[in-house]
């Protein structure tokens, strides 16, 4: 059964490779196309598709530069998105106010020392954040409900200098629905509960509300800090609600900005790497390749691991990435892979996933993006899409590490040609009608197919040849058109939710160190947080260490607690006193992915709750032995 095979994709994959990969998989007869987006911005896509009709951000770099207020919530661009710091620096120089919302005081958001400018090298850099709201983990929904209450109060307050002009009523009346239900939810929201959830003061929230009142163009940026909680989708709906109140969608300098990390994680989804692509994509794909693609939903990442664990899957193929280290519940994932008949990794470098195999295992080495890709039709280029919907070409310049390395495109084409051929050299009945050898020889032929299947890519080859590439259409941003069922942007009423932690326990978030690129390359220093020569550290507020009778520097085990009653343990971590919010802790992944229960996922999106892990600290074996 084709549904016993799982085809994972990393965001490193180019548009061309991703498009052919999903075509091959659907030609085989399954939609089992989990990808890294399932674990990071799936909550963003779910919330944005529901509220504005498209699961992508609505801002461009020009909007960032023109914004009057930028709220950066649950994101650490200094470590995870360093190129964004330049955009924030330019916005700041243009007069923008920046509010940072984060449980940890992140150095890169406080001040940016741009190494490409004289000021950055010798002038002390640029102060970025005007305000820092040190929020409790999982309290962001409460914050945005509080901000909505501030706007509502000011809209209705007699004698307000804004004179009932806080809301953009013209925009709301013409382009939105659901305002009444949302306002009723705001009225019912309790300030005491908001302050409990956020651990902020009412004065802090009202001060940020005043920033919103003063701004004519607001951008809200976010990353994993908002997407990896049980209530993440509801949180992001409330982010959209606040922006809609003031008409901050579809005007210069304003909008939603989910910031993705991989070079093409957004492009892969655009190309069809998704277990639940809409019917119009399937229809276009079927017409282009004269076959019938499967319509039943496939597995996302969490469901794929469960299927492997439960014996419902037999084959795993990973197109890039480090699946074992990117996914939650590490021991469960490792054991699940070990039950398979075959595991295949298409990789540019060795990683831990190559050590956890099925009964048979293959490693298919492939060209890296920086290596020259020469095919029968000459040197090739590929394309990628960034977080802001910009598509540009990428061409490797370095000599390949080996003359025998195949590109990802070539690997997919050869696999597909083998799978879909008959013994007499024909094409298997029902398979996509594609010239796989011709596509491998000349990637422009792939782009011609994409142009006829994926909206926004018309005249693809010519547009990608322009300097800087091109911007994909975005209805809410370009014309305030919303492809929801009603044709309008949706206000939503969301019950307030936040994590509840038993006494003596902490709420853990997993995060990157500064010296880390995702799950494959990382070092042992974190200069922004003062850590040297070690990654097995847990950051805890001194007050919590005192209450737990743990000294700064003690070795502890981290034990997560979940309703299944299973103790998941990450042993031998050094406790480090750090200015986290009381009751909150932080530690690096992938070392702590073992603590994230597979079944603890965000409502609607299924994203693992890697920022909401209830843990207890126990003395490590080394510490117990010393006693």
């Amino acid at each position: 059964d084709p549904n016993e095979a799982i085809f994972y994709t990393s965001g490193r994959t180019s548009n061309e490779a991703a498009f052919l990969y999903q075509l091959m998989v659907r030609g085989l007869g399954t939609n089992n196309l989990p990808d890294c987006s399932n674990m990071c911005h799936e909550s963003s896509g779910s919330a944005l598709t529901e509220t504005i009709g498209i699961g992508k951000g609505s801002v461009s770099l020009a909007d960032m530069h023109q914004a009057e207020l930028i709220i950066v919530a649950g994101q650490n661009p200094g470590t995870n998105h360093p190129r964004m710091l330049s955009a924030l620096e330019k916005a700041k120089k243009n007069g923008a106010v920046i509010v940072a919302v984060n449980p940890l005081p992140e150095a890169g958001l406080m001040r940016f020392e741009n190494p490409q400018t004289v000021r950055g090298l010798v002038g002390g850099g640029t102060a970025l954040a005007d305000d820092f709201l040190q929020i409790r983990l999982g309290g962001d929904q409460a914050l945005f409900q509080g901000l909505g209450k501030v706007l509502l109060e000011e809209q209705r307050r007699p004698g307000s200098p804004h004179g009932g002009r806080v809301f953009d009523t013209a925009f709301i009346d013409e382009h939105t629905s659901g305002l009444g239900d949302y306002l009723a939810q705001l009225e019912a929201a309790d300030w005491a509960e908001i302050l409990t959830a956020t651990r902020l003061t009412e004065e802090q929230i009202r001060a940020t509300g005043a920033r919103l009142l003063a701004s004519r163009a607001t951008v809200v940026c976010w990353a994993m800090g908002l997407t990896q909680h049980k209530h993440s989708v509801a949180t992001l709906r409330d982010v959209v609600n606040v922006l809609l109140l003031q008409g901050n969608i579809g005007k210069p300098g304003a909008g939603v900005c989910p910031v993705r990390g991989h070079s093409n994680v957004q492009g892969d989804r655009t190309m069809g790497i998704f277990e639940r692509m809409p019917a119009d994509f399937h229809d276009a794909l079927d017409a282009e390749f004269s076959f019938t693609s499967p319509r039943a939903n496939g597995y996302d990442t969490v469901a794929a691991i469960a299927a492997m664990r439960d014996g419902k899957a037999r084959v795993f193929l990973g197109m890039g990435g480090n699946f074992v280290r990117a996914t939650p519940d590490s021991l469960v994932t490792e054991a699940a892979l070990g039950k398979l008949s075959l595991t295949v990794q298409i990789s540019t470098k060795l990683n831990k996933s190559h050590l956890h195999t099925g009964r048979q295992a293959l490693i298919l080495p492939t060209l890296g993006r920086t290596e020259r890709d020469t095919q029968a039709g000459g040197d090739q280029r590929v394309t990628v899409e960034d977080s802001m919907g910009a598509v540009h070409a990428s061409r490797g310049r370095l000599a390949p590490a080996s003359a025998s390395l195949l590109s990802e495109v070539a690997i997919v084409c050869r696999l597909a040609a083998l799978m879909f051929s008959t013994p007499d050299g024909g094409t298997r009945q029902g398979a996509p009608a594609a010239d796989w050898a011709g596509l491998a020889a000349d990637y422009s032929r792939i782009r011609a197919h994409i142009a006829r299947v994926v909206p926004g890519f018309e005249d693809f080859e010519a547009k990608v040849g322009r300097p800087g590439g091109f911007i994909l259409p975005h209805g809410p941003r370009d014309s305030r058109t919303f492809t929801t069922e009603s044709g309008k942007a949706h206000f939503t009423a969301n019950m307030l939710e936040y994590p509840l932690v038993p006494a003596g326990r902490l709420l853990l978030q997993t995060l990157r160190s500064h010296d880390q690129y995702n799950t494959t390359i990382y070092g042992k220093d974190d200069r922004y947080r003062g850590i040297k020569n070690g990654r097995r550290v847990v950051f805890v507020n001194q007050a919590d260490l005192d209450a737990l009778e743990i000294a700064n520097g003690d070795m502890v085990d981290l034990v997560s607690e979940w309703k299944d009653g299973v103790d998941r343990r990450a042993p031998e971590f050094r406790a480090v006193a750090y200015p986290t919010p009381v009751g909150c802790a932080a530690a690096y992944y992938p070392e702590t992915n073992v603590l994230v229960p597979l079944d603890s996922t965000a409502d609607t999106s299924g994203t693992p709750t890697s920022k909401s892990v209830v843990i207890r600290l126990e003395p490590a074996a080394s510490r117990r032995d010393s006693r």
Side-chain angles (χ1 to χ4, degrees):
D1 186 334
N3 291 307
E4 293 179 309
I6 292 166
F7 298 87
Y8 176 74
T9 314
S10 160
R12 182 183 60 78
T13 308
S14 68
N15 287 329
E16 289 76 8
F19 183 79
L20 293 184
Y21 190 57
Q22 63 81 29
L23 176 63
M24 178 188 77
V25 172
R26 293 189 165 105
L28 183 66
T30 184
N31 284 308
N32 287 345
L33 284 159
D35 71 333
C36 57
S37 195
N38 295 150
M39 295 176 285
C40 54
H41 271 291
E42 202 65 63
S43 296
S44 301
S46 297
L48 293 176
T49 299
E50 178 183 346
T51 56
I52 66 170
I54 182 171
K56 299 182 181 183
S58 67
V59 302
S60 64
L61 276 178
D63 289 318
M64 294 291 291
H65 300 156
Q66 298 174 52
E68 295 187 7
L69 173 65
I70 301 174
I71 299 176
V72 183
Q75 182 201 359
N76 176 19
T79 292
N80 300 335
H81 313 106
R83 289 187 177 183
M84 185 181 173
L85 290 176
S86 298
L88 293 175
E89 181 183 42
K90 185 168 183 178
K92 189 70 179 173
K93 289 179 179 178
N94 290 342
V97 171
I98 297 176
V99 176
V101 182
N102 207 305
L104 301 181
E106 300 291 8
L109 263 178
M110 301 302 114
R111 178 173 292 276
F112 176 41
E113 297 180 3
N114 190 338
Q116 296 181 338
T117 66
V118 173
R119 179 180 178 83
L121 289 173
V122 300
T126 301
L128 292 182
D130 295 272
D131 300 323
F132 170 49
L133 302 183
Q134 187 169 26
I135 197 166
R136 176 185 181 269
L137 279 168
D140 302 274
Q141 184 193 11
L143 169 63
F144 280 92
Q145 288 199 3
L147 294 175
K149 284 182 74 71
V150 172
L151 297 181
L152 176 60
E153 290 171 8
E154 193 64 21
Q155 172 75 6
R156 293 177 173 176
R157 183 170 67 86
S160 166
H162 300 281
R165 291 179 285 105
V166 173
F167 295 176
D168 186 339
T169 53
F171 169 80
I172 291 171
D173 291 345
E174 182 177 356
H175 295 292
T176 73
S177 66
L179 177 64
D181 290 341
Y182 170 57
L183 296 185
Q185 176 65 37
L186 285 184
E187 291 169 342
D190 178 61
W191 271 110
E193 191 171 22
I194 289 171
L195 301 183
T196 297
T198 60
R199 298 274 174 84
L200 300 171
T201 66
E202 187 172 340
E203 291 73 22
Q204 286 176 300
I205 297 174
R206 289 190 177 278
T208 303
R211 301 282 199 193
L212 282 167
L213 289 166
S215 171
R216 294 167 299 175
T218 299
V219 171
V220 179
C221 304
W222 69 85
M224 307 301 93
L226 266 62
T227 65
Q228 292 180 329
H229 301 273
K230 179 180 183 297
H231 59 300
S232 285
V233 174
T235 296
L236 294 169
R237 292 189 197 120
D238 274 319
V239 170
V240 174
N241 284 335
V242 169
L243 290 169
L244 291 177
L245 283 177
Q246 295 184 288
N248 281 310
I249 300 284
K251 69 180 182 183
V256 291
C257 183
V259 184
R260 304 173 191 264
H262 284 295
S263 58
N264 200 40
V265 64
Q266 184 158 295
D268 285 355
R269 179 60 53 87
T270 302
M271 292 296 109
I273 300 294
F274 189 35
E275 71 280 359
R276 293 178 282 117
M277 286 300 288
D280 55 356
F281 178 89
H282 284 276
D283 292 342
L285 193 71
D286 293 357
E288 179 69 10
F289 293 99
S290 303
F291 82 120
T292 301
S293 59
R295 302 302 172 104
N297 290 345
Y299 295 134
D300 66 8
T301 297
V302 168
I305 297 169
M308 293 188 287
R309 177 197 64 193
D310 298 339
K312 297 178 180 179
R314 299 172 57 203
V315 173
F316 174 91
L317 192 154
M319 174 74 84
N322 186 355
F323 187 79
V324 162
R325 284 296 168 261
T327 48
D329 226 339
S330 304
L331 298 181
V332 172
T333 300
E334 292 167 6
L337 286 166
K339 292 182 176 182
L340 301 181
S341 300
L342 174 67
T343 51
V344 183
Q345 304 286 347
I346 301 174
S347 306
T348 59
K349 60 184 69 65
L350 294 174
N351 61 56
K352 194 64 176 286
S353 292
H354 298 101
L355 302 181
H356 296 279
T357 71
R359 289 192 294 277
Q360 295 186 51
L362 299 175
I363 299 172
L364 305 183
T366 186
L367 289 173
R369 185 87 55 77
T370 58
E371 292 176 295
R372 189 168 56 254
D373 184 355
T374 304
Q375 302 295 334
D379 288 350
Q380 303 297 313
R381 62 183 177 181
V382 295
T383 59
V384 296
E385 176 189 349
D386 67 18
S387 294
M388 296 179 177
V391 179
H392 67 271
S394 175
R395 189 189 297 271
R397 304 293 183 184
L398 302 177
S402 166
S404 62
L405 282 174
L406 300 181
S407 68
E408 288 181 328
V409 167
I411 290 171
V412 172
C413 286
R414 292 192 188 194
L415 283 174
L418 288 167
M419 287 196 298
F420 300 143
S421 63
T422 58
D424 61 0
T427 300
R428 179 173 60 80
Q429 185 175 3
D435 177 8
W436 297 102
L439 296 173
D442 183 357
Y443 297 178
S444 68
R445 299 181 63 178
I446 307 171
R447 290 188 283 274
H449 285 303
I450 294 171
R452 292 188 289 269
V453 171
V454 184
F457 285 83
E458 298 82 5
D459 201 19
F460 189 3
E461 192 68 20
K463 288 193 291 190
V464 81
R466 301 170 187 167
F470 65 100
I471 305 294
L472 290 173
H474 189 289
R477 178 195 64 214
D478 300 337
S479 58
R480 286 184 162 176
T481 56
F482 303 91
T483 54
T484 59
E485 287 188 8
S486 67
K488 295 186 175 184
H490 293 163
F491 283 99
T492 54
N494 305 287
M495 293 297 296
L496 178 59
E497 187 174 348
Y498 55 94
L500 300 176
V501 182
R505 289 353 183 217
L506 300 173
L507 194 63
L508 175 76
Q509 65 166 325
T510 70
L511 44 70
R512 295 184 193 180
S513 68
H514 176 66
D515 187 14
Q516 180 171 353
Y517 179 75
N518 204 6
T519 54
T520 301
I521 299 173
Y522 41 90
K524 294 187 176 182
D525 294 340
D526 189 340
R527 60 188 177 94
Y528 281 178
R529 300 187 182 106
I531 301 299
K532 295 185 180 298
N533 198 33
R535 292 180 52 84
R536 298 187 77 83
V537 298
V538 56
F539 300 103
V540 185
N541 190 287
Q542 183 65 61
D544 288 320
L545 291 178
D546 293 341
L548 297 170
E549 298 183 348
I550 295 171
N552 184 24
D554 275 357
M555 300 302 294
V556 296
D557 288 355
L558 315 184
V559 185
S560 75
E561 298 181 346
W562 175 242
K563 61 186 179 183
D564 62 6
V566 176
D567 278 354
R568 295 166 173 84
R569 184 178 298 267
E572 298 287 339
F573 276 67
R574 178 164 54 94
V576 175
Y578 202 80
T580 68
V582 171
C584 298
Y588 302 130
Y589 84 88
E591 289 85 350
T592 49
N593 285 1
V594 66
L595 301 172
V596 184
L598 183 65
D599 297 322
S600 179
T601 58
D603 296 335
T604 304
S605 69
T607 299
T609 58
S610 300
K611 299 293 187 288
S612 289
V613 184
V614 176
I615 64 167
R616 66 178 186 269
L617 303 185
E618 293 184 354
S622 58
R623 184 175 159 211
R624 294 195 299 268
D625 293 344
S626 68
R627 290 180 174 179

